[in-house]
Amino acid sequence: MADSTDQTGDPQILPGREPGMDETIVHLAAEYWPYARTGGLAEAVRGIARFQAMAGRNVAVIMPLYARVRDHATSIEPVGEPFRFDLGGRSEEGRLFEDVGRDGGPRVYFIDHPDYFDRDGIYGESGGSYADNHRRFAFLNRAALKVLPDVATGPVILHAHDWHASLAAVYLGALMKEQDFFRDVATVLTVHNGGYQGHYEGPGVLSELGLPESLYHPDFMEWYGKTNLLKGGLVFSDMVTTVSPTHARELRTRTGGFGLQDTFNGLSDRFVGILNGIDYDVWDPATDPDIEVNYTADDLSGRAVNKAWLQKAAGLAPDPDVPLIGMSARLVEQKGLDLILARDMMPRLEAQWFFLGEGQPHYQEALGALAQRYPEQVTVRFNFTEEVEHKLMAGADLLLMPSLYEPCGLTQMRAQRYGALPVVRRVGGLADTVEDRVTGFVFDEYQAWALEEALTYAIELFRDRSAWTWHVKEAMGRDFSWQRSVDLYANVYFRAVLHHLSLK
């Protein structure tokens, strides 16, 4: 097969074939927007699946039937009778549901198991993880394979997302590859965040997952004395992707591979980076119903109205001459909050700050203390809603993403689409989507002084309104749609099928 990556490792479209048109593509994920979301995973999976369906592919999605799904979707109905199977010495019962009220797009199915999924959280509560997550997601994976013949026809591409869905490839490769239907199922695993891997102490967990302990080996699922579920998915998948070309290169390094760099390197050309996109039907300042005034790059007058509204709503002085810096993120170490908190920047920088998000208690407490210390400059909102995020994109002048690492990131793309210039660190998808001092501001060192230097430059540039407007229009003109990504995934599916056939 001809090489399908360029010298940077970016995937290329193979000529002479339109791959992926006749297969059923089945996405398996723990989250899918709008039913359940904790971060960018749900929106990314939805973006891929929706635009594949728009391109004429036969697409289905399988996810858990969480309690919050029942709250959101009123048109779900059972498909067939309950099913039962043995898993790790336990007899498990589940049932398949479908959202029959969807308006176009992919078919969306839900795996029901009240004991596992009818809980307040998706992965855990109060900042912790559920102790039985390995059993919960093992059931999701095994149940998805159980119902796969009912939701897919013809050749099947099973596209799993992150560690929660990685066991599907392990079950297929280690236990089910000789069964008639599953013999022809090719697998793709997308790593949205390699920092979360699903690792558990020792080999004993394998029996709970219904897997042989022979897989507790460095070539398969053993990882520094632990069982690593993501590693198993990487080893057994036909193709692996991550969510930006730069992050694909980072995952191959000792400093960026989260301990799996040897596994990623071992995949060779079976591992590529494909940049995520954003949904322009949802993120469009010209039509967005959640912002106060719609606007375009040709008429930016509405941005001033949105900014004034946001300042007033946040309890800040509505001043057009003071830059408003927004941050919308999970409040965790990955997002670079330690840099923001390391230096007392607020008195030195003439700006207003709006923090939106929820996460680890100590970060919430620290940001809350900043808001109390500088009430005329800083406001925080821990009750994240998508409506407020839209308003923040439309009203902020700068968007803060000083991430420790960022596989792709979607917020910096949304911000540019809305004319809020991102201040980011040169990592992962941030490096791939923000052009320094053109569509945003990029710094390299994971140091507080580097962040402050970038912010200082941005604030000084803000005072030159003519120059600032040029940068805003440049940012709003960048193309972050899903179309190119969907084309590249079709190529990945083609290569997955070729690899799968080569193993027969």
Side-chain angles (χ1 to χ4, degrees):
M1 187 182 75
D3 183 22
S4 56
T5 57
D6 65 14
Q7 62 183 353
T8 68
D10 297 348
Q12 304 293 300
I13 299 294
L14 288 176
R17 189 188 192 282
E18 181 68 16
M21 290 301 293
D22 55 348
E23 298 93 354
T24 298
I25 303 165
V26 180
H27 292 276
L28 177 60
E31 303 179 30
Y32 187 77
W33 187 85
Y35 303 101
R37 173 191 176 192
T38 64
L41 171 63
E43 188 173 345
V45 179
R46 190 253 189 184
I48 299 167
R50 178 172 180 265
F51 279 83
Q52 286 171 336
M54 290 172 60
R57 276 35 172 192
N58 182 12
V59 186
V61 177
I62 301 176
M63 66 171 292
L65 183 54
Y66 301 113
R68 65 185 65 187
V69 172
R70 297 182 185 275
D71 294 338
H72 179 88
T74 59
S75 54
I76 56 174
E77 294 183 0
V79 179
E81 297 300 318
F83 53 82
R84 183 175 290 277
F85 55 83
D86 291 331
L87 181 63
R90 306 177 305 279
S91 179
E92 300 279 19
E93 181 176 288
R95 195 167 190 183
L96 182 67
F97 284 74
E98 181 181 4
D99 185 355
V100 297
R102 65 185 181 86
D103 185 16
R107 292 169 286 126
V108 182
Y109 295 94
F110 306 92
I111 300 294
D112 184 33
H113 188 306
D115 288 346
Y116 284 153
F117 302 129
D118 196 6
R119 305 181 184 184
D120 291 338
I122 292 179
Y123 308 116
E125 299 170 36
S126 303
S129 299
Y130 293 126
D132 62 347
N133 272 346
H134 58 299
R135 292 191 296 272
R136 296 173 71 227
F137 291 111
F139 173 81
L140 170 67
N141 284 255
R142 188 63 186 82
L145 295 176
K146 176 77 173 177
V147 303
L148 195 60
D150 300 319
V151 305
T153 58
V156 177
I157 303 291
L158 182 60
H159 189 159
H161 297 268
D162 270 348
W163 75 264
H164 329 97
S166 63
L167 282 175
V170 181
Y171 290 133
L172 282 170
L175 303 178
M176 305 169 69
K177 62 183 177 181
E178 298 305 324
Q179 299 179 23
D180 286 344
F181 178 86
F182 299 104
R183 188 178 295 119
D184 296 326
V185 176
T187 52
V188 175
L189 173 63
T190 293
V191 180
H192 295 261
N193 191 331
Y196 298 90
Q197 301 174 7
H199 33 70
Y200 296 88
E201 292 293 337
V205 71
L206 287 168
S207 62
E208 293 187 70
L209 305 177
L211 292 169
E213 288 198 6
S214 60
L215 294 182
Y216 191 74
H217 185 279
D219 290 342
F220 298 106
M221 299 179 71
E222 189 275 331
W223 181 83
Y224 298 102
K226 298 181 179 181
T227 296
N228 189 313
L229 307 193
L230 179 63
K231 181 179 179 180
L234 297 175
V235 171
F236 281 98
S237 292
D238 293 301
M239 286 290 294
V240 176
T241 75
T242 192
V243 289
S244 71
T246 294
H247 193 56
R249 293 187 286 272
E250 291 170 343
L251 286 172
R252 291 182 169 101
T253 68
R254 182 179 297 275
T255 56
F258 302 102
L260 286 174
Q261 60 274 7
D262 291 340
T263 304
F264 284 113
N265 279 309
L267 293 169
S268 189
D269 65 352
R270 290 169 46 222
F271 175 48
V272 298
I274 300 177
L275 193 67
N276 281 338
I278 58 174
D279 189 335
Y280 275 25
D281 291 337
V282 175
W283 296 96
D284 184 355
T287 59
D288 192 336
D290 289 330
I291 65 178
E292 298 306 303
V293 177
N294 295 116
Y295 61 92
T296 66
D298 294 328
D299 181 4
L300 291 170
S301 58
R303 284 211 98 250
V305 178
N306 285 292
K307 177 179 178 178
W309 183 93
L310 185 63
Q311 288 171 315
K312 185 176 180 181
L316 303 171
D319 188 341
D321 296 323
V322 175
L324 177 58
I325 303 171
M327 183 173 185
S328 176
R330 289 178 294 113
L331 303 181
V332 294
E333 181 186 18
Q334 175 201 340
K335 300 302 179 179
L337 290 158
D338 291 326
L339 300 190
I340 298 167
L341 299 170
R343 293 166 69 95
D344 199 7
M345 292 185 284
M346 281 64 180
R348 293 191 295 277
L349 299 176
E350 294 183 18
Q352 297 170 338
W353 307 70
F354 189 120
F355 294 95
L356 174 66
E358 53 190 314
Q360 294 178 330
H362 69 279
Y363 287 125
Q364 293 192 185
E365 292 171 4
L367 291 175
L370 281 178
Q372 289 184 337
R373 192 181 312 149
Y374 307 112
E376 295 182 355
Q377 285 184 272
V378 182
T379 189
V380 295
R381 295 291 171 88
F382 300 130
N383 54 334
F384 173 89
T385 68
E386 293 182 9
E387 179 183 356
V388 175
E389 186 176 37
H390 281 250
K391 294 181 185 299
L392 182 61
M393 296 300 109
D397 299 298
L398 294 163
L399 187 282
L400 194 56
M401 291 186 72
S403 302
L404 176 62
Y405 69 94
E406 195 66 58
C408 178
L410 300 175
T411 311
Q412 81 280 7
M413 300 185 209
R414 300 169 187 153
Q416 290 172 82
R417 174 80 164 150
Y418 279 61
L421 303 187
V423 179
V424 305
R425 202 165 82 86
R426 198 186 307 276
V427 290
L430 303 180
D432 293 327
T433 56
V434 180
E435 187 175 355
D436 187 26
R437 302 194 179 190
V438 178
T439 66
F441 309 92
V442 185
F443 66 98
D444 292 283
E445 298 292 329
Y446 191 69
Q447 299 289 339
W449 61 261
L451 168 61
E452 186 169 349
E453 280 189 359
L455 283 169
T456 299
Y457 178 86
I459 291 170
E460 290 176 353
L461 181 63
F462 177 81
R463 298 191 180 103
D464 185 341
R465 304 318 293 271
S466 176
W468 188 261
T469 298
W470 180 87
H471 288 281
V472 167
K473 290 185 175 184
E474 279 289 309
M476 294 181 70
R478 296 300 164 98
D479 181 8
F480 298 117
S481 66
W482 275 105
Q483 187 56 57
R484 173 174 165 78
S485 300
V486 166
D487 291 340
L488 291 171
Y489 275 113
N491 171 239
V492 166
Y493 297 156
F494 179 39
R495 295 172 61 188
V497 171
L498 291 183
H499 180 265
H500 194 72
L501 291 172
S502 75
L503 298 179
K504 289 188 175 183

